[in-house]
Every structure is written in C-alpha cells, then in structure tokens.
C-alpha cells in the first residue's frame, strides 16, 4: 500500500505576524495508522523540503503519545525534512491520498492548482481519499468530471465555525471551512466542538478536527481493505 500525504508550505497566519503551518497531531496520528499497517508513505508539499509546523501544535497541551513518537522517530523526521514537491507527484504511483490540516492549507492548498488537479485525478481513477480539519478547505475548487463542485450534495465535515471561534481566528482565516462547504452545496455534518467526527461519502472521507485525524486514517484504511476484498 502506497500512501501520499500532502502537507501545507504556508507559514504566515494572515497578517497577524504570527506563524502557522501544519498541525502536528494531524500528521503524526495518521502517519502511524498508515506506517503501523505496513504502508509506504510519501510526504509532499507545494514547496518541497521541510514544511512549517504550527508552533502552537507542539505546545504541551496539544502533545500526544503519537506526536512525541514522531519527534523521536529519526526516519519520520528525515522524511519530513525532505518532502517532495507537489508538482512532481502523480496519482498513478499511489493507492490513496491523505491531507493533514492546520491553518496553513487555508492559504496555499485551497488555491493550489497542482493540489486541485491531484485530488481530481485520484477521484477520476476511482481511488478513495481523506482530508481532515482545515484541509477540507482544499476541496473548494475541486470539481467532478462534469464540472460541478466535488462536495455538492455530499456529506462532509471539517473544522467548524464554532471551533474557529474557539481559537479566535474567525476574522483571520481567508474563509470559514463550514461556510464555504455550505456555499458549495455540501451537507455539512458536525459534532460538538473538538469531538471526534469522521464522515464517509463514496470516495471521500473527511474528519472534523485534529482528534479526528487518526480515526479518519483508520476509516480510510478500512475502506481500502473492503475495496480490495471486493476486487479479489
């Protein structure tokens, strides 16, 4: 099993002067779901090289056993140091695609043409993918083969308006994930702020927030296993 994980390269939190990037738990938790299942993982980002970590995601209250495991894992850290450039990866080389979040994707992946094309190519090839938290925003320009918004009429989740309010960034982000999905005609599904929530809609699996990233990866693996069994 070959898994491609796409991480943000964006490190500025709007014009606040503060740093952002990817959220460590949202990389570490899925990474080990995949790795411990024997999958081969490739990390990619728009600019390649080491992507920026949201410094907040490594504060004591947000550390987990898996974020600590990642930081102590020399092989994982070496991979993170050398993410491949997003414009160099092809869906043909992978079985599935996973997008960790953090606030960074709201600025780069949401608008990145290579990212949009990549997601569209996985779906056109009949492959199942997963995005979590703010990376649901990376679906905003993704279209179905007949030119409709991918999320139109689909049940999806992502970082909610209430969660954005909780972290005080409602007026800093370029758009709100929940509002954007509703505007595109999605059925937005959510649980209480910071609760674990994963939604499956055909080839698309979405997770609400950092705590939902590991469960979203598990849901993705289960979907792939079921598909492989059906094809056998």
């Amino acid at each position: 099993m070959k898994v491609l994980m796409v991480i943000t390269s964006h490190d500025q939190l709007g014009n606040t002067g503060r740093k952002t990037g990817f959220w460590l738990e949202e990389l570490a938790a899925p990474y080990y779901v995949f790795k411990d299942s024997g999958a081969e993982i490739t990390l990619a980002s728009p600019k390649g090289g080491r992507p920026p970590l949201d410094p907040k995601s490594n504060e004591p209250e947000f550390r987990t056993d898996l974020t600590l495991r990642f930081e102590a894992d020399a092989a994982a850290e070496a991979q993170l140091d050398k993410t491949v450039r997003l414009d160099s990866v092809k869906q043909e080389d992978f079985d599935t695609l996973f997008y960790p979040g953090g606030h960074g994707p709201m600025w780069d992946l949401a608008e990145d043409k290579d990212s949009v094309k990549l997601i569209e190519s996985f779906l056109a090839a009949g492959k199942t993918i997963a995005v979590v938290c703010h990376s649901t925003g990376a679906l905003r320009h993704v279209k179905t083969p007949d030119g409709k918004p991918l999320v139109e009429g689909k049940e999806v989740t992502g970082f909610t308006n209430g969660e954005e309010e909780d972290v005080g960034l409602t007026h800093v982000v370029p758009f709100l994930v929940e509002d954007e999905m509703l505007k595109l005609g999605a059925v937005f599904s959510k649980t209480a702020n910071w609760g674990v929530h994963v939604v499956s809609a055909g080839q698309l699996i979405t997770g609400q927030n950092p705590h939902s990233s590991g469960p979203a990866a598990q849901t993705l693996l289960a979907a792939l296993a079921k598909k492989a069994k059906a094809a056998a």
Side-chain angles (χ1 to χ4, degrees):
M1 166 94 61
K2 293 186 172 176
V3 181
L4 177 63
M5 297 181 80
V6 176
I7 307 166
T8 180
S9 290
H10 184 87
D11 69 350
Q12 294 296 316
L13 194 57
N15 49 17
T16 61
R18 286 182 285 160
K19 291 289 187 195
T20 190
F22 70 91
W23 196 260
L24 187 53
E25 182 184 1
E26 294 178 44
L27 172 62
Y31 184 89
Y32 288 114
V33 168
F34 299 136
K35 186 160 184 181
D36 294 346
S37 78
E40 188 182 310
I41 303 163
T42 298
L43 304 180
S45 64
K47 293 179 180 170
R50 189 164 185 105
L53 173 70
D54 185 320
K56 204 167 174 54
S57 73
N58 207 9
E59 288 176 0
E61 65 192 289
F62 298 118
R63 286 188 188 135
T64 67
D65 289 348
L66 292 173
T67 66
L68 296 170
R69 180 180 167 190
F70 193 95
E71 291 200 305
D73 184 337
E77 283 288 341
Q79 260 191 295
L80 190 60
D81 255 346
K82 297 189 174 72
T83 67
V84 298
R85 280 179 62 106
L86 190 54
D87 59 10
S88 74
V89 293
K90 297 187 190 70
Q91 70 77 15
E92 293 85 353
D93 298 333
F94 302 96
D95 298 298
T96 190
L97 180 63
F98 190 98
Y99 275 57
H103 279 86
M106 300 286 283
W107 281 273
D108 64 351
L109 295 173
E111 305 303 326
D112 189 294
K113 288 184 173 61
D114 292 313
S115 172
V116 171
K117 278 196 305 215
L118 187 69
I119 294 171
E120 288 175 349
S121 68
F122 269 84
L123 296 169
K127 295 176 181 177
T128 304
I129 67 164
V131 301
V132 293
C133 199
H134 286 94
S135 274
T136 297
L139 303 174
R140 72 189 302 210
H141 297 304
V142 177
K143 301 271 198 293
T144 60
D146 55 4
K148 291 197 177 110
L150 169 69
V151 299
E152 193 181 302
K154 271 195 175 62
E155 191 184 348
V156 299
T157 189
F159 207 62
T160 67
N161 290 356
E163 288 166 333
E164 204 65 84
E165 208 165 293
D166 269 1
V167 297
L169 295 173
T170 303
H171 302 295
V172 172
V173 289
F175 60 93
L176 294 168
V177 173
E178 181 177 338
D179 286 358
E180 185 68 13
M181 292 300 112
L182 290 169
K183 196 173 94 186
L184 290 166
V187 179
F188 193 86
S189 166
K190 59 183 174 179
T191 188
N193 289 1
W194 313 109
V196 172
H197 187 52
V198 176
V199 172
S200 289
Q203 293 169 254
L204 180 65
I205 292 164
T206 49
Q208 181 172 316
N209 48 32
H211 306 322
S212 307
S213 58
Q218 285 160 342
T219 304
L220 177 59
L221 278 189
L224 294 169
K226 192 175 167 188
K227 211 163 161 188
K229 204 171 169 187

